[in-house]
Amino acid sequence: MEKIVSNRQVPAMNVLIVFAHPDRRSLNASLRDVAVEELEALGHAVEVSDLYAMAWKSAVDGADFPAIDPKARLKVAAASGDAFAADALTDDVKAEQAKLLRADVLILQFPLWWFTMPAILKGWVDRVYAYGFAYGVGEHNDQRWGDRYGEGTLAGKRAMLIVTTGGWREHYSPSGINGPIDDLLFPINHGILHYSGYTVLPPFVTYRVDRLDDAGFAQAAAALRERMRTLESTQPIPFRRQNGGDYLIPSLELRPGLEATGVSGFSLHLKQVE
Amino acid sequence: MEKIVSNRQVPAMNVLIVFAHPDRRSLNASLRDVAVEELEALGHAVEVSDLYAMAWKSAVDGADFPAIDPKARLKVAAASGDAFAADALTDDVKAEQAKLLRADVLILQFPLWWFTMPAILKGWVDRVYAYGFAYGVGEHNDQRWGDRYGEGTLAGKRAMLIVTTGGWREHYSPSGINGPIDDLLFPINHGILHYSGYTVLPPFVTYRVDRLDDAGFAQAAAALRERMRTLESTQPIPFRRQNGGDYLIPSLELRPGLEATGVSGFSLHLKQVE
């Protein structure tokens, strides 16, 4: 059978969606289906890692490193690095790493539980992001402190979050009680995605999802389709590169004078866009 | 047998340590033992939830709500609230909730993995922090938006984090590339602990733990013992109370005029201490 190719002028990409909701009838699953449908209509190839459907193992433990003596002390980073170097990680982890290497775009999709990702998705990060694969990559010297924060195994690829929350948009606004949504997601966008090399796009966040009616869903779906159509043209979050000269080495503190007036905290790590 | 009571003038408390490291020979486990020993020497009663030893289930799914038809759509907050109200949560979750109610002090202890807690501990929060227990508590009206952020089931108790990280202290400093440690821990300290009512103490953080020698361990252990001796007198993080007048209701944005000059992001939610 001939493959039907979209007539849109968009180069076909491989997209991986890592999905973390327990119910396939959830709003999250509906939004995932919208994203997949739009991406496939654009001619992209989509893989979905549905963590609940896969019964993903969340906890890092000795069973993750079958080559290591189970009676020996488990030093997680060392065990992870040894196993990655020897191609001795477990098959489930190796399969996810292969998907990441294949994908031009990574999407992590989840409901915001306690202001971050559900445990099952954190367990995907903890296990798949092995030493030598997503951290502990590259040389450390006077010029560079490893390949991370803008460099690394996954450099050249794009990533974004699709997030739902029961809370109101205002509660996540710059002065909202939960903290600004961009700051809450910073440890993921910067500390996980940018860290391992990804160019990170702004997140797609849907608020007050428990009260979302049909019109609200239609609006969210339309906005999500637009984000899927613009994966390649959307301006990324302008995180600073670690080894680009903005940080002192080895203290990795921002070089004095680069902070804009009144900027502190996580925002220091954004390039000031003119 | 007569119980031996410490002769220190400290009222005995119940302390719960929720511990999340896979190896009992780890630095984390050694620090936990130091904390337990010091607390018991002070006459306190200590319980430890060693999540790996308990083979704690991390992922929230239908099995958490045995009273609910497994074929019905799973709406997590609603299912959690119904199960809590009907005393129909699973036994492992009920046991942890009982420990929380018994404990005057809660300590969460973990290695910082990807700038937050390991999956197994996130799964403890996701499952134990049920609707009606740790969220969805209290009335919503013009004066108050539920019992949360300083009020709630766990109000009147103290909590703190004990954290280890391989990274350098400078990398977690105010301008360090990872982001300030207090901001990275804000979603836990504010969004989980303060949210459910706890008075939150500053975290105890040990850096560069992969390079910690005997002298470094002795120093960390001495500092941790001091923190255990001062649980009742340590000044808490001055998080604002939601219903104390500092926030507009229902937008829950900080009342204009309360921000100090130059303060933004998570720090807005700290009372300015004179």
Side-chain angles (χ1 to χ4, degrees):
Chain A
M1 232 171 72
E2 201 108 338
K3 193 173 169 195
I4 296 167
V5 176
S6 160
N7 59 1
R8 290 185 64 117
Q9 296 306 304
V10 180
M13 299 188 295
N14 294 317
V15 180
L16 172 63
I17 301 178
V18 181
F19 176 77
H21 193 286
D23 198 306
R24 63 180 173 72
R25 289 154 296 187
S26 60
L27 171 69
N28 269 275
S30 300
L31 289 174
R32 175 200 59 195
D33 294 345
V34 164
V36 170
E37 189 183 87
E38 185 67 28
L39 289 166
E40 291 184 340
L42 290 163
H44 301 317
V46 184
E47 281 194 284
V48 176
S49 288
D50 182 338
L51 299 182
Y52 275 96
M54 295 156 71
W56 181 260
K57 171 182 184 286
S58 297
V60 172
D61 60 22
D64 289 342
F65 314 111
I68 288 179
D69 177 0
K71 290 193 221 91
R73 176 172 165 188
L74 176 60
K75 294 195 168 197
V76 172
S80 175
D82 290 348
F84 178 73
D87 195 27
L89 289 163
T90 56
D91 288 344
D92 59 347
V93 167
K94 285 199 274 192
E96 295 302 302
Q97 292 177 343
K99 290 179 195 172
L100 287 173
L101 294 174
R102 264 198 304 274
D104 305 294
V105 178
L106 169 66
I107 295 174
L108 303 181
Q109 190 188 348
F110 56 93
L112 197 68
W113 287 354
W114 296 104
F115 306 110
T116 186
M117 48 176 67
I120 199 170
L121 180 53
K122 182 62 183 3
W124 180 90
V125 175
D126 287 346
R127 297 184 59 234
V128 174
Y129 262 43
Y131 188 100
F133 180 77
Y135 72 111
V137 179
E139 283 184 35
H140 289 61
N141 57 41
D142 289 353
Q143 306 299 316
R144 51 192 305 108
W145 195 257
D147 298 345
R148 56 178 214 168
Y149 288 123
E151 298 174 281
T153 301
L154 301 164
K157 303 170 182 292
R158 297 191 150 214
M160 70 174 278
L161 308 180
I162 298 179
V163 176
T164 60
T165 171
W168 299 21
R169 183 183 295 272
E170 293 85 345
H171 303 176
Y172 293 93
S173 69
S175 70
I177 193 164
N178 296 337
I181 190 70
D182 287 340
D183 285 351
L184 291 167
L185 298 178
F186 178 92
I188 304 172
N189 279 326
H190 182 266
I192 296 172
L193 298 174
H194 179 57
Y195 187 104
S196 55
Y198 284 107
T199 298
V200 186
L201 305 185
F204 180 83
V205 184
T206 309
Y207 297 93
R208 290 193 79 177
V209 293
D210 298 329
R211 305 297 176 100
L212 204 67
D213 57 15
D214 289 349
F217 178 76
Q219 197 175 20
L224 180 56
R225 279 194 204 96
E226 177 62 17
R227 287 297 306 271
M228 295 299 99
R229 283 193 291 269
T230 54
L231 283 175
E232 291 146 298
S233 58
T234 296
Q235 279 296 109
I237 304 174
F239 290 131
R240 297 177 189 275
R241 286 178 53 192
Q242 175 184 274
N243 300 318
D246 287 358
Y247 295 93
L248 302 169
I249 292 178
S251 79
L252 300 183
E253 291 168 292
L254 190 64
R255 200 173 283 282
L258 290 181
E259 341 65 342
T261 314
V263 172
S264 65
F266 292 152
S267 301
L268 283 176
H269 306 290
L270 301 175
K271 278 184 297 240
Q272 300 306 312
V273 180
E274 304 295 307
Chain B
M1 231 170 73
E2 201 106 343
K3 194 174 171 195
I4 296 166
V5 175
S6 158
N7 59 1
R8 290 186 64 116
Q9 295 304 307
V10 180
M13 299 188 294
N14 293 319
V15 180
L16 172 63
I17 301 178
V18 182
F19 177 76
H21 193 286
D23 197 305
R24 61 181 174 72
R25 288 152 298 186
S26 60
L27 172 68
N28 270 275
S30 299
L31 290 174
R32 175 200 60 194
D33 294 344
V34 164
V36 170
E37 189 183 270
E38 185 66 27
L39 290 166
E40 291 185 339
L42 290 163
H44 303 316
V46 185
E47 279 194 284
V48 176
S49 288
D50 181 338
L51 298 182
Y52 275 96
M54 295 156 72
W56 181 260
K57 172 182 183 285
S58 297
V60 173
D61 60 22
D64 289 342
F65 314 111
I68 288 180
D69 177 0
K71 290 192 222 94
R73 175 172 166 188
L74 176 60
K75 293 196 169 196
V76 172
S80 175
D82 290 348
F84 178 72
D87 195 26
L89 289 164
T90 55
D91 287 344
D92 59 346
V93 168
K94 286 199 273 194
E96 296 302 301
Q97 292 177 344
K99 290 180 195 172
L100 287 173
L101 294 175
R102 263 198 304 273
D104 304 294
V105 178
L106 169 66
I107 295 174
L108 303 181
Q109 190 188 350
F110 55 95
L112 197 68
W113 286 354
W114 297 104
F115 306 110
T116 186
M117 48 175 66
I120 200 169
L121 180 54
K122 182 64 186 0
W124 180 90
V125 175
D126 288 347
R127 296 184 60 233
V128 175
Y129 262 44
Y131 187 101
F133 180 77
Y135 71 113
V137 179
E139 282 183 36
H140 290 60
N141 58 39
D142 290 354
Q143 306 299 318
R144 50 193 305 108
W145 195 256
D147 298 346
R148 55 179 215 167
Y149 288 123
E151 299 174 281
T153 301
L154 301 164
K157 301 170 182 293
R158 298 193 149 212
M160 70 175 278
L161 307 181
I162 298 179
V163 177
T164 60
T165 171
W168 298 21
R169 182 183 294 272
E170 293 85 343
H171 302 176
Y172 292 93
S173 70
S175 70
I177 193 164
N178 296 338
I181 190 69
D182 287 339
D183 285 350
L184 292 166
L185 297 178
F186 178 92
I188 303 173
N189 279 327
H190 182 266
I192 295 172
L193 298 173
H194 178 57
Y195 187 104
S196 55
Y198 284 107
T199 298
V200 186
L201 305 185
F204 180 82
V205 184
T206 309
Y207 298 92
R208 291 193 81 178
V209 292
D210 297 330
R211 306 296 176 100
L212 205 67
D213 56 15
D214 288 349
F217 178 77
Q219 196 174 21
L224 180 57
R225 279 193 204 96
E226 176 63 16
R227 287 297 305 271
M228 295 299 99
R229 282 193 292 268
T230 53
L231 282 175
E232 291 146 297
S233 57
T234 297
Q235 278 296 110
I237 304 175
F239 290 132
R240 297 177 189 274
R241 286 178 53 191
Q242 176 184 275
N243 300 318
D246 287 359
Y247 295 93
L248 302 170
I249 292 178
S251 79
L252 301 183
E253 290 168 293
L254 189 65
R255 200 174 283 281
L258 291 181
E259 340 65 342
T261 313
V263 172
S264 65
F266 292 153
S267 300
L268 283 176
H269 305 291
L270 301 175
K271 279 184 295 238
Q272 300 307 311
V273 181
E274 305 295 306

